Amino acid sequence: MKDGAIGVFDSGIGGLTVMKELLRLLPGESFVYFGDTARVPYGNKSAETVLKFSREAIYFLMQKGVKLVVVACNTASAEALPALEKEMTIPVVGVIEPGIRAAVTATKKARVGVIGTLGTIRSGAYQNGIKQLAPDVEVFARACPLFVPLAEEGWVDGEVAGLVATRYLSEYRQEGIDTLVLGCTHYPLLHGVIGRVMGNDVTLVDSAVETAKRVAEVLSEKQLHREEEEGNFSVYLSDISPTFKQVGERFLGREIPVIHLRNG
Ligand code: DGL
């Protein structure tokens, strides 16, 4: 089991931001990434559809013999993970819980903002999770759907990104939050512009980084660590678009060697 790969699932390309942190923190592990590129985005679909697609994706990874599954997609973690966890026979790590723990630790004023897709925010997963862990923390949640296409287009730092970020986030300045959870796979790419709009006194919680740390913890708790110097990394997609490789390498920060098409 130790030598098995870690399965990483996302609705599409965005989970490569989580993949980047996993590769950085766990270079000795092997990974199989599955991006449901034929059906992305999940963020504006119904919870039932997100659950159905996520179940298919996770079972695909389990057929590959993975030892642990990371649900890198915030929308799938929010809307599908609670139900799917009960069906799984291997450990599953989502992105919501690590983000919640980091936010609760970071806030000094007990005022936390959360941004994500429409589905993630509608599910209340972050809001309820924070309240459960720290009932005195006030949570301000907002969907920022336009950040996803901006990140994919590579418009992460210019005038347009600045205007969109200001429009979405300026109310947060009045609400006096001191911590903001980047609750979507794509948002770490907009870290710079979001940080500038929010100001230096607001801590940005990157759920990709927090999730990689949680995966490392689970591997040692369950004694599933692979003790090799280097692992393999393969990518499966449900559709291979002409731009995936180029955009994906920007998200991942390194080359994607081979891309396989998932059949069926
Ligand atoms: N991966 C999704 C998330 O983190 C963003 C893209 C989508 O809507 O599918 O919520």
Side-chain angles (χ1 to χ4, degrees):
M1 202 60 184
K2 268 178 178 239
D3 279 334
I6 295 173
V8 181
F9 150 59
D10 181 54
S11 55
I13 213 161
L16 292 172
T17 56
V18 179
M19 200 55 246
K20 179 181 178 180
E21 300 306 328
L22 288 165
L23 288 168
R24 201 195 324 252
L25 197 64
L26 302 164
E29 297 291 338
S30 290
F31 294 93
V32 182
Y33 180 92
F34 172 63
D36 197 4
T37 42
R39 305 193 286 198
V40 70
Y42 283 12
N44 52 14
K45 295 200 166 60
S46 70
E48 293 73 32
T49 299
V50 171
L51 176 60
K52 178 175 177 282
F53 291 173
S54 303
R55 180 180 281 120
E56 287 169 16
I58 289 179
Y59 279 85
F60 167 73
L61 288 170
M62 281 171 59
Q63 275 163 21
K64 295 260 162 237
V66 298
K67 61 181 173 186
L68 178 148
V69 171
V70 181
V71 180
C73 177
N74 284 256
T75 309
S77 295
E79 298 195 308
L81 193 55
L84 291 177
E85 246 167 359
K86 299 183 192 119
E87 297 174 21
M88 307 278 295
T89 50
I90 54 171
V92 200
V93 177
V95 284
I96 307 273
E97 204 219 291
I100 287 174
R101 285 203 290 161
V104 167
T105 309
T107 186
K108 302 279 176 294
K109 293 201 227 157
R111 295 174 85 78
V112 171
V114 178
I115 53 176
T117 64
L118 287 163
T120 299
I121 300 305
R122 186 188 53 210
S123 76
Y126 276 109
Q127 300 92 307
N128 299 337
I130 292 172
K131 280 273 163 212
Q132 229 165 20
L133 193 62
D136 57 324
V137 172
E138 274 224 67
V139 190
F140 303 86
R142 184 155 304 142
C144 303
L146 286 178
F147 282 163
V148 168
L150 281 177
E152 291 196 9
E153 192 63 28
W155 291 15
V156 291
D157 221 7
E159 193 191 347
V160 178
L163 285 172
V164 174
T166 305
R167 181 70 185 267
Y168 278 142
L169 304 174
S170 48
E171 266 177 46
Y172 273 143
R173 307 270 330 138
Q174 281 124 50
E175 282 154 355
I177 62 158
D178 68 352
T179 302
L180 180 66
V181 182
L182 308 182
C184 174
T185 48
H186 290 58
Y187 299 178
L189 277 100
L190 293 139
H191 196 281
V193 70
I194 294 172
R196 268 197 299 287
V197 172
M198 295 311 299
N200 286 339
D201 45 344
V202 175
T203 305
L204 302 186
V205 172
D206 180 339
S207 44
V209 173
E210 301 305 327
T211 302
K213 289 188 208 155
R214 180 68 195 135
V215 172
E217 277 170 20
V218 174
L219 289 176
S220 30
E221 277 162 29
K222 310 253 178 222
Q223 302 192 332
L224 285 173
H225 255 301
R226 185 170 180 269
E227 277 128 26
E228 300 297 324
E229 276 201 7
E230 216 186 330
N232 298 316
F233 170 43
S234 47
V235 171
Y236 286 81
L237 303 175
S238 50
D239 176 66
I240 304 180
S241 76
T243 54
F244 181 88
K245 191 166 155 64
Q246 189 207 344
V247 180
E249 287 178 353
R250 186 153 41 75
F251 276 56
L252 188 65
R254 64 167 83 179
E255 204 201 332
I256 301 174
V258 200
I259 301 174
H260 308 272
L261 185 64
R262 181 193 77 173
N263 297 312

